[in-house]
């Protein structure tokens, strides 16, 4: 009997270990469309990655590879509506509905507890809104060169949108996701500015020394990110002086270390 019990226990342990190392590639129905997710299985609070404007979840491949070699936690990347393999409901798309759809999808995937986020650039807007909806469930987040409320004023949001208006027809043919991102840009920024002041979640904010802007705007962008980082005592500010906007491409080790550091602190 003892031998049989030992064999069963060993088999269960092997099964659990194998399950932790699995990768799941799936579409999740959120109503009138489906969102594409890639999940590295594990135990503990899941780390969810939110990409910047125009990007799908594939930009996080290298970071997820590095993280999976050091911590065995769920790593979740996904494509926002209209990008990558995700579908889009063109009649009902804005930051508010997109964040609700992400929440619904995570619940359908059985991730119903706490969350940890990593966001890049405009992706920070979506995570701020998610935190606003779920302030007690998001235990921490790493923001990488995000668009801050101090930089993206209502006037600048309108200006940014108008930069693409002359090419909007071509954009629609090229990327339906980016097309709606442009059309909704002012609303996306307005929601971000509204929810940002109330965020109390522990944050690590990694800024690039070489932002996607030139001239005075480069310094304004950097100043905005730093000011946002210094707003609350539970935020850490890090400047990657020699990195460009995609800091996780130029300095993946720094980003990996900071994700693990904050994750272990708040878990």
């Amino acid at each position: 009997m003892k031998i049989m019990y030992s064999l069963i226990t060993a088999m269960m342990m092997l099964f659990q270990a194998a399950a932790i190392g699995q990768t799941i590639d799936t579409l999740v129905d959120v109503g009138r469309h489906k969102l594409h997710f890639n999940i590295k299985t594990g135990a503990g609070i899941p780390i969810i990655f939110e990409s910047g404007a125009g990007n799908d979840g594939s930009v996080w491949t290298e970071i997820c590879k590095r993280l999976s070699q050091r911590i065995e936690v769920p790593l979740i990347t996904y494509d926002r509506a209209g990008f990558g393999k995700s579908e889009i409901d063109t009649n009902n798309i804005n930051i508010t509905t997109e964040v609700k759809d992400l929440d619904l999808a995570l619940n359908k995937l059985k991730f119903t507890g706490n969350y940890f986020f990593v966001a890049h650039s405009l992706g920070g807007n979506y995570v701020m809104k998610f935190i606003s909806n779920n302030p007690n469930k998001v235990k921490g987040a790493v923001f990488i060169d995000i668009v801050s409320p101090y930089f993206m004023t209502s006037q600048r949001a309108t200006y940014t949108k108008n930069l693409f208006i002359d090419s909007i027809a071509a954009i629609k043919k090229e990327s339906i996701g980016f097309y709606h991102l442009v059309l909704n840009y002012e609303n996306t920024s307005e929601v971000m500015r509204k929810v940002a002041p109330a965020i109390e979640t522990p944050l690590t904010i990694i800024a690039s020394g070489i932002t996607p802007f030139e001239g005075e705007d480069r310094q304004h962008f950097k100043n905005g990110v730093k000011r946002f980082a210094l707003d609350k005592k539970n935020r850490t500010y890090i400047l990657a002086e020699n990195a460009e906007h995609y800091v996780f491409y130029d300095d993946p080790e720094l980003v990996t270390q900071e994700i693990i550091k904050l994750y272990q602190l708040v878990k």
Side-chain angles (χ1 to χ4, degrees):
M1 181 64 71
K2 289 183 178 180
I3 294 175
M4 181 62 70
Y5 177 79
S6 298
L7 287 172
I8 293 173
T9 301
M11 289 175 66
M12 290 178 64
M13 291 177 65
L14 285 171
F15 176 79
Q16 290 172 350
I20 286 178
Q22 289 181 347
T23 299
I24 300 170
D25 190 310
T26 186
L27 289 171
V28 180
D29 192 332
V30 292
R32 299 185 58 161
H33 66 292
K34 297 178 181 178
L35 293 177
H36 173 244
F37 284 79
N38 193 282
I39 304 162
K40 184 75 172 180
T41 58
I45 299 173
I47 301 178
I48 304 158
F49 295 82
E50 190 72 59
S51 306
N55 295 137
D56 59 34
S58 65
V59 296
W60 301 107
T61 300
E62 176 61 25
I63 291 297
C64 285
K65 179 181 177 181
R66 287 171 176 261
L67 286 170
S68 66
Q69 293 171 348
R70 304 186 196 185
I71 51 175
E72 294 183 342
V73 304
L75 304 175
I76 304 174
T77 62
Y78 84 106
D79 305 332
R80 278 200 303 274
F83 294 98
K85 298 178 182 178
S86 285
E87 301 169 352
I88 188 171
D89 173 11
T90 57
N91 294 318
N92 190 32
I93 180 167
N94 55 62
I95 187 172
T96 301
T97 59
E98 286 190 86
V99 168
K100 286 182 179 178
D101 288 342
L102 173 59
D103 202 354
L104 174 61
L106 290 171
N107 278 268
K108 285 194 169 188
L109 290 165
K110 307 302 181 185
F111 294 104
T112 58
N114 297 321
Y115 304 113
F116 185 98
F117 275 89
V118 177
H120 175 237
S121 194
L122 189 69
N125 292 25
Y126 291 84
V127 174
M128 288 186 215
K129 177 58 176 169
F130 194 100
I131 292 172
S132 178
N133 291 356
N134 305 274
N136 297 321
K137 297 181 73 173
V138 181
K139 297 306 178 182
V142 174
F143 285 165
I144 304 167
D145 225 28
I146 60 160
V147 179
S148 77
Y150 298 114
F151 178 76
M152 194 53 66
T153 63
S154 59
Q155 294 83 3
R156 188 179 292 276
T158 299
Y159 170 77
T160 302
K161 174 183 175 180
N162 288 337
L163 290 175
F164 297 94
I165 288 301
D166 289 343
S167 305
I168 201 69
I171 290 172
K172 187 175 184 180
K173 291 181 180 179
E174 182 69 23
S175 171
I176 191 65
F178 197 77
Y179 169 78
H180 284 281
L181 186 151
V182 171
L183 295 184
N184 288 320
Y185 198 83
E186 290 161 304
N187 172 255
T188 300
S189 300
E190 181 182 358
V191 170
M192 180 265 294
R193 290 192 301 274
K194 181 179 179 180
V195 303
I199 291 175
E200 299 292 343
T201 303
L203 304 174
T204 294
I205 292 96
I206 303 174
S208 73
I210 310 171
T211 75
F213 297 91
E214 301 291 341
E216 291 184 357
D217 281 348
R218 172 167 291 177
Q219 194 59 49
H220 289 325
F221 185 89
K222 291 170 67 175
N223 290 345
V225 174
K226 186 173 183 178
R227 183 178 173 186
F228 177 76
L230 298 178
D231 271 348
K232 304 287 174 68
K233 292 183 178 180
N234 61 350
R235 297 178 185 175
T236 300
Y237 174 74
I238 296 169
L239 176 62
E241 189 69 56
N242 297 319
E244 297 189 12
H245 186 48
Y246 288 79
V247 183
F248 49 93
Y249 285 170
D250 292 344
D251 198 343
E253 183 58 26
L254 169 68
V255 173
T256 301
Q257 288 178 358
E258 293 303 327
I259 292 172
I260 293 173
K261 184 186 299 183
L262 184 61
Y263 181 89
Q264 291 178 338
L265 181 66
V266 304
K267 70 176 183 179

